[in-house]
Amino acid sequence: KNEPFVYFALIILLMIPACEKNPEKAGLTDIDGNVYDTVVIGTQVWMAENLRTTRLNDGTEIPLVESDTAWANLRAPGYCWYGDYEAFFRLNHYGALYNFYAVGTGKLCPEGWHVPDTDEWYTLLLFLGDEIAGGKMKYTGTHDWLQPNTGATNESGFNALPGGFRNTYYKDYQRFRVSGHFWHSNRSDVMRVGYNSSDVIHSTLQHNDGASVRCVRD
């Protein structure tokens, strides 16, 4: 694992005053009781924070899998916290990382919400200007994102954070503070928002990689 980098990044983040998170919640609550900001973007209503539930919306517990080997061999829903640092990543709204098997249940988001499919992601990106959409989605400044955080205005209110992802092939966690990876619902693809670009990159992960989740209203 890239633990030295994670330790260093956590120390730096804790030394800097926390970014002001929106104290006004929209009342979207998951089955664990977590409450989330939401935002209207065009014709869609999005969760403005990364998902952090530990249960499906029918009450089924999602296994927390910390062992790299167990995660790599998993062929069922699972979740984890980047680097196994739950307190930090929960508190700072980076959320949990889920494998695609969890997404594929169709029950990961709160009732009345769902993981966006590819068409819904592109509806968002086109509304925000396609090649500059990433800049409009990212938190500004370099408290969360590495420099230069190219083009970041967050004018959409999406509040994209660089939560990184869990790489099954290399059996480690990667790209914290570098990029955010957000699952599609209909295939094991992600939208990747990076620190050095205003664009959003459509990428593919493995079913048992771990990535962030944003929900959109039905």
Side-chain angles (χ1 to χ4, degrees):
K1 298 181 182 180
N2 52 353
E3 290 185 355
F5 174 75
V6 174
Y7 284 132
F8 176 76
L10 294 182
I11 291 170
I12 294 299
L13 285 173
L14 291 171
M15 290 173 60
I16 303 172
C19 286
E20 182 68 27
K21 308 297 184 183
N22 183 1
E24 297 299 325
K25 300 292 184 179
L28 173 59
T29 305
D30 67 27
I31 195 166
D32 282 352
N34 300 304
V35 184
Y36 300 86
D37 285 325
T38 63
V39 62
V40 178
I41 306 177
T43 59
Q44 300 170 312
V45 183
W46 287 83
M47 182 182 286
E49 304 174 38
N50 292 349
L51 190 68
R52 51 190 184 273
T53 186
T54 65
R55 292 185 290 166
L56 302 179
N57 62 30
D58 63 2
T60 303
E61 290 189 5
I62 308 169
L64 171 62
V65 183
E66 296 182 342
S67 162
D68 290 328
T69 300
W71 181 271
N73 292 330
L74 193 62
R75 298 296 182 270
Y79 83 99
C80 58
W81 303 94
Y82 191 102
D84 303 329
Y85 301 111
E86 176 180 355
F88 177 85
F89 286 92
R90 180 188 288 277
L91 177 65
N92 290 278
H93 295 190
Y94 287 98
L97 301 177
Y98 302 89
N99 64 15
F100 188 72
Y101 298 104
V103 173
T105 65
K107 300 177 180 179
L108 193 54
C109 293
E111 290 284 355
W113 294 70
H114 61 276
V115 180
D117 64 22
T118 303
D119 288 342
E120 288 170 311
W121 275 116
Y122 276 100
T123 295
L124 172 68
L125 300 188
L126 289 173
F127 179 80
L128 294 179
D130 200 7
E131 294 182 357
I132 59 173
K136 294 180 179 181
M137 293 165 64
K138 293 187 293 181
Y139 259 121
T140 58
T142 53
H143 174 269
D144 297 291
W145 291 90
L146 290 181
Q147 294 181 349
N149 197 13
T150 302
T153 68
N154 198 30
E155 62 187 83
S156 70
F158 187 87
N159 300 335
L161 287 170
F165 76 108
R166 190 171 191 176
N167 188 313
T168 296
Y169 182 81
Y170 291 104
K171 295 186 178 180
D172 64 3
Y173 295 88
Q174 298 182 355
R175 303 186 70 81
F176 170 55
R177 298 195 72 210
V178 173
S179 54
H181 303 250
F182 303 95
W183 281 121
H184 296 216
S185 65
N186 54 324
R187 51 186 172 182
S188 61
D189 287 2
V190 292
M191 289 305 188
R192 175 165 55 86
V193 185
Y195 79 107
N196 60 350
S197 174
S198 295
D199 203 355
V200 177
I201 306 300
H202 185 160
S203 304
T204 298
L205 294 182
Q206 301 301 313
H207 279 57
N208 51 353
D209 286 333
S212 300
V213 167
R214 286 295 179 97
C215 302
V216 66
R217 193 166 69 184
D218 293 351

